[in-house]
């Protein structure tokens, strides 16, 4: 019995894969890495053209690392449109986030995502877009955690200061998006689309980055700030926690008219009225 347990432990130790595997693009192999490069992996026919694109955009290395797994390879994130990997581009040691279009994605190309993110970058919002091809989009890698995960761990007795700054930064990014008429389109539940940055020592800082512009648009009515403010203050359990920490319990009714005014006219004045009211 004891032996069996011991054997099992040994087996596990030997099978354990390293948490970070860097592979030069020239060494990527269909059999080993096709399930990630051509995710979800049941059609690997585009593997050669995808490797060609990786070369064309100047990728030197793919780094399989991250909490999501495809087989035994780590990735930063998996979504409906893409998988996101760490990578390096030629001539730089910096890590980039590489958004790889899923083979079964309902989008023909990553180019629209890139163009709209470039637009957001032009007024200081979003991770810096670097280069794009049909199936790959390289951008600044944001070291941080999703706001949804952070809110899950947030204690109702937490100090107000960090939360206030975090909300101020989130709503400021949203105001900038609104002001430039770029509607993100997926901020009514921003849990996965707002990342909180970490500093070099791994400590969270009250600075956020709004990611993923594939559903964004410039021709519709913008609702970035109202969506995120509703989520933070008027929504479900997250908003109850936030209102408790900031001492805004029972204040829902007073915020609504301010949001309505802003919806009618997204001016700096109306934005500041909201910020003042929520003490951020
Ligand atoms: N620039 C980045 N830096 C760090 N992590 C990132 C970056 N971009 C995306 N990610 C991670 O990858 C995940 C998926 O990214 P993204 O939301 O852009 O992909 P998607 O395919 O559009 O996903 P979804 O279907 O959820 O919208 C994110 O939730 C995030 O964890
Ligand atoms: Mg998306």
């Amino acid at each position: 019995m004891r032996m069996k347990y011991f054997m099992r432990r040994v087996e596990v130790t030997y099978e354990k894969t390293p948490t970070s595997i860097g592979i030069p693009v020239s060494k990527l192999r269909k059999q080993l890495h096709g399930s990630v490069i051509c995710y979800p992996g049941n059609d690997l026919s585009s593997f050669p053209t995808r490797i060609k694109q990786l070369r064309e955009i100047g990728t030197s290395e793919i780094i399989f690392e991250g909490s999501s797994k495809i087989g035994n390879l780590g990735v930063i994130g998996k979504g409906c449109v893409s998988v996101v990997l760490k990578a390096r581009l030629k001539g730089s040691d910096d890590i980039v986030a590489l958004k790889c279009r899923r083979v079964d994605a309902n989008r023909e190309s990553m180019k629209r995502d890139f163009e709209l993110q470039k637009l957001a970058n032009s007024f200081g919002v979003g991770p810096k877009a670097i280069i794009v091809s049909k199936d790959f989009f390289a951008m600044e890698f944001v070291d941080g955690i999703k706001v949804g995960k952070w809110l899950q761990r947030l204690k109702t007795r937490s100090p107000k200061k960090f939360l206030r700054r975090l909300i101020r930064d989130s709503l400021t990014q949203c105001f900038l998006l609104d002001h430039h008429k770029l509607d993100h389109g997926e901020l009514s539940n921003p849990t996965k689309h707002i990342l909180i940055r970490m500093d070099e020592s791994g400590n969270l800082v009250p600075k956020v980055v709004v990611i993923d512009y594939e559903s964004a648009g410039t021709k519709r009515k913008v609702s970035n700030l109202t969506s995120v403010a509703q989520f933070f203050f008027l929504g479900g359990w997250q908003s109850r926690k936030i209102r408790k920490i900031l001492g805004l319990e029972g204040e829902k009714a007073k915020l609504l008219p301010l949001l309505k005014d802003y919806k009618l006219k997204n001016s700096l004045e109306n934005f500041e009225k909201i910020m003042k009211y929520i003490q951020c």
Side-chain angles (χ1 to χ4, degrees):
M1 197 54 182
R2 206 181 256 172
M3 188 62 151
K4 218 174 169 183
Y5 176 59
F6 175 72
M7 299 255 299
R8 212 185 288 150
R9 275 185 55 188
V10 171
E11 228 175 282
V12 169
T13 314
Y14 275 105
E15 276 180 12
K16 201 174 162 195
T17 45
T19 49
S20 174
I21 313 172
I23 310 276
V25 170
S26 59
K27 299 255 164 63
L28 288 170
R29 294 289 172 267
K30 197 197 252 185
Q31 293 80 354
L32 298 176
H33 312 109
S35 57
V36 178
I37 302 298
C38 304
Y39 189 77
N42 40 15
D43 173 9
L44 303 184
S45 59
S46 62
F47 187 80
T49 61
R50 286 181 173 234
I51 296 297
K52 193 166 164 249
Q53 289 177 55
L54 285 175
R55 290 214 177 90
E56 281 165 3
I57 64 170
T59 319
S60 57
E61 185 186 17
I62 298 287
I63 301 158
F64 294 102
E65 180 188 314
S67 51
S68 295
K69 299 280 178 238
I70 299 173
N72 57 9
L73 298 171
V75 302
I76 317 173
K78 273 187 258 180
C80 303
V81 174
S82 65
V83 289
V84 183
L85 311 173
K86 283 189 178 180
R88 281 200 178 85
L89 301 179
K90 278 181 192 147
S92 169
D93 277 344
D94 292 348
I95 302 265
V96 298
L98 186 69
K99 204 166 169 175
C100 314
R101 196 176 70 88
R102 290 174 59 135
V103 169
D104 59 358
N106 61 355
R107 313 270 155 152
E108 280 300 299
S109 152
M110 298 306 291
K111 291 191 178 163
R112 190 184 135 79
D113 198 343
F114 174 82
E115 291 306 334
L116 291 165
Q117 193 162 311
K118 270 251 175 223
L119 176 61
N121 290 169
S122 70
F123 47 86
V125 172
K128 193 173 176 298
I130 303 172
I131 192 163
V132 74
S133 69
K134 179 172 178 277
D135 298 319
F136 299 99
F137 171 6
M139 68 183 88
E140 172 199 358
F141 169 71
V142 179
D143 206 1
I145 72 163
K146 293 175 197 163
V147 77
K149 198 167 180 185
W150 184 79
L151 284 169
Q152 265 173 11
R153 295 180 189 161
L154 184 69
K155 303 264 183 307
T156 43
R157 279 166 297 151
S158 306
K160 291 179 186 177
K161 194 173 166 192
F162 187 94
L163 180 62
R164 272 192 183 142
R165 287 190 182 174
L166 185 93
I167 292 175
R168 169 165 262 289
D169 197 46
S170 306
L171 296 184
T172 304
Q173 309 280 320
C174 292
F175 174 67
L176 284 168
L177 286 166
D178 285 348
H179 182 71
H180 291 90
K181 300 186 170 39
L182 178 58
D183 188 43
H184 181 282
E186 290 187 279
L187 292 180
S188 53
N189 180 355
T191 46
K192 294 189 303 178
H193 291 127
I194 295 184
L195 302 184
I196 309 176
R197 283 192 190 269
M198 267 176 199
D199 65 15
E200 276 156 18
S201 331
N203 298 316
L204 286 177
V205 290
K207 290 267 164 216
V208 305
V209 186
V210 179
I211 61 163
D212 191 11
Y213 293 81
E214 47 122 357
S215 305
T218 52
K219 297 205 167 74
R220 52 187 193 238
K221 194 165 166 43
V222 286
S223 64
N224 301 296
L225 183 134
T226 48
S227 299
V228 173
Q230 279 189 36
F231 173 82
F232 280 155
F233 294 101
L234 308 174
W237 59 266
Q238 293 96 336
S239 78
R240 279 195 291 280
K241 246 189 203 180
I242 290 174
R243 279 184 279 125
K244 181 140 207 270
I245 297 170
L246 299 185
L248 290 171
E249 288 158 302
E251 301 275 313
K252 263 182 165 182
K254 293 184 194 155
L255 183 57
L256 268 172
L258 296 178
L259 289 178
K260 273 190 185 147
D261 288 348
Y262 178 90
K263 212 170 187 166
L264 287 173
K265 190 173 178 220
N266 56 20
S267 62
L268 183 61
E269 195 191 346
N270 283 341
F271 168 67
E272 280 174 346
K273 276 187 192 161
I274 296 169
M275 301 306 266
K276 189 167 173 215
Y277 179 69
I278 59 180
Q279 301 157 27
C280 288

